[in-house]
Amino acid sequence: MWILDIFYIMGWLAIYFAKAMIPVSVSVAYLIGSVINWRALALIGAIPCLLLLFGLFFIPESPRWLAKIGREKEFEAALQRLRGKNVNISEEAADIKDYTENIQKIPEDKILDLFQQKYSHLLIVAIGLMVLQQFGGLNGYAYYMNEIFELAGVPSITGFIVVSVPQIPAIALGSILIEKFGRRTLLMVSVTGECLGCFLTGLSFVLQNLNWWMEATPTLMLSGMVVFEVSYSLGIGSIPWIIISEIFPINIKGSAGSICNAVNWFCTWLVSFTFNFLVEWSPAGTFFIYGSISFLGVLFIAKLVPETKGRTLEEIQASLTHFLQ
């Protein structure tokens, strides 16, 4: 049985950190890709996918889903396993049951129903975080990093190593700090860092265009890229998905997740498609635009994004919607 417990823990961790590990995966891909060809890199990239698939078999069903479909014994067993053998789950189990009973009195909402007034705050927060995650310029950096190095006169291999290595400790630090300082605080720090990174990158191109301080331009550009990538890894790369999973009630969680994913991938495509055109117009201006979006993102987070640290899903959702009141 202890072997199954080990695989269960591995599987749970794999899912919990799947989004947070994206920056680390990008860093590792940069490092490995600098010394091998793309075909070998693609095959190596398939290995973590297989491990993740294997881990899925050892993850228990969601307690709230089990409660929703009336499988009470399995619900309590799953909740006990997640909380630990010696934890008293009676109060939490009762809260989940009450919440589920109230939810079941309401018809399950469809995607169009998400645009009702009672869900407006939730939808604005969720879509806003998806837009901010992508419009901060991540994919401009990620997909065209080699071109950025060439524009700044930095050797590609050197650049990849300098930018990639700091991301790995950054994601570990973010995982530690998220429960200490909270989601919103870490998000604000992360997006502020993105803003600073874009400003430094843009400034390096301004100096290059003006032929000022040319010997420092590559260092300034690399510093901006490192600050941006570390900041992304610290919070904005993973926390939006955590918040989205916490703020939506179970009756609309599936529809909300579909919309958020669609918005996220559309923004990914839009940034990737427009980056070349923006750089042709002005390399410095491109990164100043991304930095300005991140600056507005800090204000958005401070004003609208709720803090979910230390609160149950039921408490979060009841405070953000009125249909349970």
Side-chain angles (χ1 to χ4, degrees), residues 107-235:
E108 185 164 341
D109 291 331
K110 300 177 181 179
I111 287 182
L112 292 179
D113 296 327
L114 273 173
F115 297 94
Q116 299 176 57
Q117 179 65 31
K118 61 182 178 181
Y119 298 134
S120 60
H121 186 189
L122 306 182
L123 202 58
I124 290 170
V125 169
I127 291 179
L129 288 175
M130 293 294 95
V131 171
L132 179 60
Q133 186 184 63
Q134 299 302 329
F135 278 15
L138 169 69
N139 290 299
Y141 279 103
Y143 295 159
Y144 299 97
M145 190 171 289
N146 192 57
E147 287 78 1
I148 296 172
F149 290 146
E150 290 179 1
L151 286 171
V154 176
S156 295
I157 295 179
T158 302
F160 282 134
I161 294 173
V162 171
V163 171
S164 302
V165 170
Q167 292 185 62
I168 298 174
I171 189 64
L173 182 63
S175 301
I176 296 170
L177 296 179
I178 188 171
E179 291 302 330
K180 184 174 179 62
F181 295 105
R183 281 87 158 121
R184 189 170 67 171
T185 300
L186 197 57
L187 261 181
M188 292 179 67
V189 171
S190 175
V191 177
T192 300
E194 280 194 323
C195 180
L196 176 60
C198 287
F199 175 78
L200 291 175
T201 306
L203 181 61
S204 71
F205 286 113
V206 170
L207 295 176
Q208 185 184 63
N209 291 337
L210 296 175
N211 292 319
W212 291 353
W213 207 17
M214 294 298 292
E215 65 277 4
T217 299
T219 301
L220 188 61
M221 187 276 299
L222 277 176
S223 298
M225 295 187 74
V226 169
V227 170
F228 180 92
E229 296 287 352
V230 167
S231 299
Y232 179 86
S233 302
L234 194 64

Side-chain angles (χ1 to χ4, degrees), residues 3-318:
I3 295 178
L4 292 179
D5 288 337
I6 290 175
F7 281 124
Y8 156 71
I9 294 171
M10 290 172 61
W12 185 88
L13 288 174
I15 293 298
Y16 186 80
F17 290 110
K19 288 295 181 183
M21 289 300 291
I22 289 175
V24 174
S25 303
V26 171
S27 300
V28 173
Y30 284 154
L31 292 172
I32 297 176
S34 65
V35 295
I36 65 174
N37 62 54
W38 68 268
R39 292 181 178 84
L41 183 63
L43 292 174
I44 293 173
I47 296 174
C49 300
L50 294 175
L51 293 175
L52 182 62
L53 179 63
F54 183 67
L56 288 172
F57 291 99
F58 302 95
I59 298 177
E61 294 287 1
S62 165
R64 287 172 175 79
W65 180 77
L66 292 170
K68 179 183 177 182
I69 62 174
R71 291 158 61 176
E72 292 193 9
K73 290 184 178 180
E74 294 176 59
F75 152 68
E76 293 179 359
L79 185 62
Q80 188 72 67
R81 188 174 186 183
L82 288 171
R83 297 293 179 256
K85 294 181 180 179
N86 299 322
V87 176
N88 184 356
I89 62 168
S90 56
E91 184 176 349
E92 183 180 4
D95 289 341
I96 292 174
K97 288 179 181 177
D98 290 341
Y99 177 79
T100 303
E101 289 173 2
N102 288 328
I103 285 291
Q104 288 178 331
K105 296 176 183 177
I106 304 171
E108 185 164 341
D109 291 331
K110 300 177 181 179
I111 287 182
L112 292 179
D113 296 327
L114 273 173
F115 297 94
Q116 299 176 57
Q117 179 65 31
K118 61 182 178 181
Y119 298 134
S120 60
H121 186 189
L122 306 182
L123 202 58
I124 290 170
V125 169
I127 291 179
L129 288 175
M130 293 294 95
V131 171
L132 179 60
Q133 186 184 63
Q134 299 302 329
F135 278 15
L138 169 69
N139 290 299
Y141 279 103
Y143 295 159
Y144 299 97
M145 190 171 289
N146 192 57
E147 287 78 1
I148 296 172
F149 290 146
E150 290 179 1
L151 286 171
V154 176
S156 295
I157 295 179
T158 302
F160 282 134
I161 294 173
V162 171
V163 171
S164 302
V165 170
Q167 292 185 62
I168 298 174
I171 189 64
L173 182 63
S175 301
I176 296 170
L177 296 179
I178 188 171
E179 291 302 330
K180 184 174 179 62
F181 295 105
R183 281 87 158 121
R184 189 170 67 171
T185 300
L186 197 57
L187 261 181
M188 292 179 67
V189 171
S190 175
V191 177
T192 300
E194 280 194 323
C195 180
L196 176 60
C198 287
F199 175 78
L200 291 175
T201 306
L203 181 61
S204 71
F205 286 113
V206 170
L207 295 176
Q208 185 184 63
N209 291 337
L210 296 175
N211 292 319
W212 291 353
W213 207 17
M214 294 298 292
E215 65 277 4
T217 299
T219 301
L220 188 61
M221 187 276 299
L222 277 176
S223 298
M225 295 187 74
V226 169
V227 170
F228 180 92
E229 296 287 352
V230 167
S231 299
Y232 179 86
S233 302
L234 194 64
I236 188 65
S238 57
I239 294 177
W241 296 103
I242 297 174
I243 291 177
I244 287 169
S245 71
E246 293 174 332
I247 63 175
F248 284 106
I250 194 171
N251 63 308
I252 59 167
K253 200 178 288 288
S255 299
S258 299
I259 287 180
C260 289
N261 273 285
V263 170
N264 189 274
W265 282 109
F266 174 75
C267 292
T268 298
W269 170 80
L270 192 60
V271 171
S272 305
F273 179 75
T274 59
F275 183 81
N276 268 335
F277 300 107
L278 288 172
V279 169
E280 288 179 7
W281 161 67
S282 170
T286 300
F287 292 101
F288 286 146
I289 289 172
Y290 292 149
S292 299
I293 292 172
S294 294
F295 175 76
L296 294 175
V298 175
L299 302 180
F300 170 81
I301 294 168
K303 185 68 176 177
L304 294 176
V305 176
E307 179 55 72
T308 59
K309 173 181 174 287
R311 304 167 70 189
T312 65
L313 298 181
E314 289 72 32
E315 290 172 343
I316 295 166
Q317 293 154 9

